[in-house]
Amino acid sequence: MKRPLALRLSALSAATALAAAAGIALTSPEATAATGGVTGYATQNGGTTGGAGGQRVRATTGTEIHAALCGRASSSTPIIIEVEGTVNHGNTGKVSGGSCNTAAGVIELKQISNVTLVGVGAGAVFDQLGIHIRQSSNIIIQNVTVRNVKKSGSPTSNGGDAIGMESDVRNVWVDHATLEASGGESEGYDGLFDMKDNTQYVTLSYSVLRNSGRGGLIGSSESDLSNGYVTFHHNRYENIDSRAPLLRGGTAHAYNNHYVSLNESGINSRAGAKVKVDNNYFEDSKDVLGTFYTDQRGSWQVAGNVFDNVTWSSPGSENYPAGPNPQSTTTVNIPYAYTLDAAGCVPDVVRRTAGAGTGLQVSDGNCTPQTPAPDPSTPTTPPPTTPGPTEPGGTNLSLGAGADGSSKADGTSYGNVRDGNLSTYSSPSGSTGSVSVKWGSATSVSRVVVREASGAAGVVRAWRLLNADTGAVLATGTIAGTATFPQTSLRKITFEITSASGTPRVAEFETYAS
């Protein structure tokens, strides 16, 4: 008899505690975005590159992630956001800007493109906070843990989905992620990996999905049939009641996954869906493939799978299990190249490679984990946190100019940023704000230098430089220093701080013609 999910979770927690007692380390090694390793359907429709070639920004809070998105020149400017630490409701606020559309209480990747979100250092954990991708394209999410996202109870986020995609989403690669809940719908949780309302060309690879009532779905209802072209490979589904995944229409490819403890059903192909199921290992599970809970049937092509202690229910009017001797009911043509590991070694190779904190290891097609070659655009050592600005030539045009800004802290003055004195400074009233330099007539500027006061170096974490006459973004960055841009004639230029680790102190806001 199947135990309640809460009891099954208790057993798994006990196993985890025993592993810890045995000295198994659960730390997460440093990782960088392996943008060249995209596989599956995410390679189609022009491919998925995320933020390759864009600026690298480090973030430790959800607000800083949003600030990095909002600090881009446009909503399609490539960016790689490196995340370290725990992101939660308390540090995830809405940030506004012309290149973003964010919201508090969820990581919002909405109406944007060309973004990589990658966990680095000691790891990135999104705690009770979901990642929402909406009306966006060319997105990579890598080496992150998303846990305990709820749709009911408190706090709620993202409709209860760990990662949710909806409304005209294209080309998403989620890789080496750990997605987990602590129960099913009655405990307030929904799906771990959901795609709906015209979401296409997605790959989920080398990830762990566990301890949830619902693994994920393609299509929110029997009438939502505009989704598809999704690849699932080298993932571990563990202690999932159903939806591993649920497919309503569309085409999917599942290969080299390890499914263990699917308690009610597994791959549920229905409403005309087609799925190719290659060289997977199904273990200690029930009804791992078929059409379930509907009379609108789907189909499947099967080859090379292992069914280890799998039980099958009897067929019924809304229950069409593929077993006990699964046979193909369709043919699925796969448009991309892929290499299959033998199904017998899938549990071992997936155990060693899947999930966050595994060093982004992948299988070589012979059941041997391999560490991917470093991304050549990734620095081998972290950049200094407070680089000294490059000394420009020419006259500092700020000297003798005017200054103003947003609400300032008591005891500081806007004029302190243009007095040539590093011992005086201006601070906003909070951790974000702006300060401007202005002239009585149009002045040509192509370079600025922002100097933080002594003791405040590195406090500024993200900023934008604006042509205050037009609102145009001239430059963006993550630490104060030197910024250059095409020479621009303007009457006012603004340094806008969108994220900081404390109260910024801007000692000098220097401007130069060249």
Side-chain angles (χ1 to χ4, degrees), residues 233-368:
H233 75 90
H234 292 91
N235 304 299
R236 178 178 172 92
Y237 286 79
E238 177 183 355
N239 193 31
I240 302 290
D241 281 347
S242 63
R243 301 187 181 183
L246 164 62
L247 299 90
R248 293 180 168 114
T251 300
H253 185 199
Y255 70 91
N256 286 151
N257 301 291
H258 184 203
Y259 303 89
V260 57
S261 296
L262 303 183
N263 303 304
E264 297 175 8
S265 61
I267 300 173
N268 185 353
S269 179
R270 53 199 268 188
K274 299 170 63 174
V275 56
K276 186 171 186 179
V277 184
D278 287 337
N279 287 35
N280 301 281
Y281 197 104
F282 300 92
E283 181 178 5
D284 298 338
S285 297
K286 177 186 176 184
D287 284 342
V288 297
L289 175 64
T291 296
F292 306 103
Y293 324 119
T294 182
D295 60 1
Q296 297 189 39
R297 301 181 67 167
S299 56
W300 43 85
Q301 180 180 354
V302 293
N305 302 288
V306 171
F307 299 93
D308 180 0
N309 192 31
V310 171
T311 60
W312 302 90
S313 61
S314 300
S317 61
E318 293 188 348
N319 197 55
Y320 307 93
N325 182 27
Q327 300 293 314
S328 297
T329 60
T330 191
T331 299
V332 182
N333 295 315
I334 301 300
Y336 50 81
Y338 63 102
T339 302
L340 288 171
D341 287 312
C345 71
V346 162
D348 179 66
V349 75
V350 168
R351 176 184 59 82
R352 297 165 66 186
T353 57
T358 57
L360 301 183
Q361 290 194 98
V362 298
S363 175
D364 64 353
N366 294 303
C367 297
T368 304

Side-chain angles (χ1 to χ4, degrees), residues 403-416 425-430 432-435 503-504:
D404 60 26
S406 61
S407 179
K408 63 180 183 292
D410 292 342
T412 68
S413 169
Y414 302 128
N416 289 337
Y425 57 86
S426 178
S427 287
S429 58
T432 62
S434 64
V435 64
T503 301

Side-chain angles (χ1 to χ4, degrees), residues 1 39 67 69 71 85 93 98 122 176 209 228 263 278 283 334 362 400 434 444 461 488 493 503:
M1 183 174 68
T39 51
L69 295 171
H176 285 88
L209 297 87
N263 303 304
D278 287 337
E283 181 178 5
I334 301 300
V362 298
S434 64
S444 292
R461 301 296 295 270
T488 303
I493 188 169
T503 301

Side-chain angles (χ1 to χ4, degrees), residues 195 199-200 217-230 232 245-252 268-275 294 296-299:
M195 293 156 279
T199 293
Q200 298 181 1
L217 58 75
I218 301 173
S220 59
S221 69
E222 308 294 67
S223 61
D224 181 16
L225 305 179
S226 59
N227 310 280
Y229 307 116
V230 182
F232 305 86
L246 164 62
L247 299 90
R248 293 180 168 114
T251 300
N268 185 353
S269 179
R270 53 199 268 188
K274 299 170 63 174
V275 56
T294 182
Q296 297 189 39
R297 301 181 67 167
S299 56

